[in-house]
Amino acid sequence: MSDSKFIEGFEIQKKLIGEFVIYFEDVNDWIRFLIPKIILKFEINNKQQNNIDCLTSQLTSEPLKAKFDSLLADNFEHIKDLTKLNKSLSTKMTTFQEIRNTILHSSFRLGWENFNGELNIQTLSIRNSKSTKKGFEKRAMIISTEKLKQYNLELKKISHCYNLITAILETDIREIYNMRDLYLNNLKMELNQISTSKLEYLDIKNN
């Protein structure tokens, strides 16, 4: 394979890694957007928005999601299907939090097909090491470009689910129940299309 093809493949891998981070943070933005809407039922002024933003701005993904889940269950417990669907969505998002933590805290060997450094533009190596009470642990994995593409598509679907939850809450508050139920059904269908698999690798090497 020519050098130009490898360079093109490496650029695609860089782009996919960057997109993963952006799509993940887009989901967090949706959750931050929804929290004040839940508390104040979509009637919110700038000062109230700023106050809530002050309380949530430094929260990382898991505690932010946990607060959202709790607020939703407490304030919209009358929509039983929504509570159940959000539990499923929350579980799926937790899986992606784990994938995100591995990717974000790793170093990369773009185009590595194996741990000998042989090249293939369809794969890359991520190295995720940490210090533990048992000593320094080194872990490296070979993952596929196609998996990165899949994770990005899944995150876009998760983002759309929170968009649908926004519509469900607003139509419920406005008592437009036929539209609310339509959005609920759309949320259920979207959730059924989202995989919950953990970070998949082609090979792994510890220490």
Side-chain angles (χ1 to χ4, degrees):
M1 184 178 294
S2 66
D3 290 346
S4 62
K5 284 294 184 182
F6 276 118
I7 292 172
E8 181 183 350
F10 299 160
E11 291 302 316
I12 290 173
Q13 291 178 351
K14 290 179 187 177
K15 181 174 179 287
L16 289 170
I17 293 166
E19 286 178 345
F20 180 91
V21 175
I22 291 170
Y23 293 145
F24 185 89
E25 290 306 321
D26 182 62
V27 173
N28 288 336
D29 282 345
W30 267 114
I31 295 173
R32 287 192 178 90
F33 171 81
L34 276 165
I35 285 175
K37 309 300 182 188
I38 293 173
I39 296 172
L40 297 166
K41 303 296 185 287
F42 288 80
E43 298 293 335
I44 185 168
N45 60 43
N46 287 338
K47 186 173 182 179
Q48 291 169 328
Q49 180 71 56
N50 288 340
N51 288 339
I52 295 176
D53 286 345
C54 180
L55 296 173
T56 61
S57 62
Q58 299 302 314
L59 292 178
T60 55
S61 181
E62 178 55 34
L64 181 69
K65 180 171 67 67
K67 291 184 183 301
F68 169 80
D69 292 344
S70 180
L71 286 166
L72 186 71
D74 283 343
N75 288 274
F76 290 89
E77 59 182 348
H78 59 284
I79 314 178
K80 302 298 183 184
D81 286 347
L82 177 59
T83 303
K84 181 179 178 181
L85 291 171
N86 184 63
K87 285 181 180 178
S88 175
L89 177 60
S90 183
T91 299
K92 295 176 190 293
M93 187 55 187
T94 296
T95 299
F96 278 93
Q97 286 169 345
E98 295 169 358
I99 295 173
R100 177 262 183 195
N101 290 341
T102 298
I103 289 177
L104 199 65
H105 298 293
S106 294
S107 60
F108 302 92
R109 302 294 185 271
L110 301 176
W112 276 33
E113 182 177 32
N114 52 46
F115 301 117
N116 296 322
E118 296 174 313
L119 296 179
N120 184 333
I121 60 172
Q122 298 301 322
T123 56
L124 68 153
S125 169
I126 62 174
R127 300 189 176 194
N128 184 257
S129 303
K130 60 182 178 179
S131 299
T132 71
K133 293 179 181 179
K134 296 180 180 180
F136 186 66
E137 292 183 358
K138 293 192 294 184
R139 183 178 64 165
M141 291 173 282
I142 304 294
I143 63 174
S144 72
T145 302
E146 286 303 311
K147 269 298 169 185
L148 283 177
K149 291 179 181 178
Q150 179 187 332
Y151 295 146
N152 288 347
L153 288 173
E154 300 291 313
L155 278 173
K156 289 171 74 173
K157 291 176 185 177
I158 288 177
S159 181
H160 185 230
C161 285
Y162 284 104
N163 188 348
L164 287 170
I165 288 176
T166 304
I168 292 165
L169 301 187
E170 186 164 11
T171 50
D172 183 75
I173 290 167
R174 297 179 186 278
E175 299 182 357
I176 312 174
Y177 299 126
N178 60 327
M179 290 299 299
R180 181 200 67 185
D181 293 343
L182 176 63
Y183 289 130
L184 274 168
N185 187 57
N186 289 344
L187 176 60
K188 181 178 181 180
M189 290 190 294
E190 188 78 346
L191 278 169
N192 288 336
Q193 297 177 32
I194 299 173
S195 170
T196 56
S197 61
K198 294 185 178 181
L199 181 64
E200 294 183 23
Y201 49 84
L202 302 173
D203 196 5
I204 187 168
K205 180 180 181 182
N206 292 306
N207 293 325

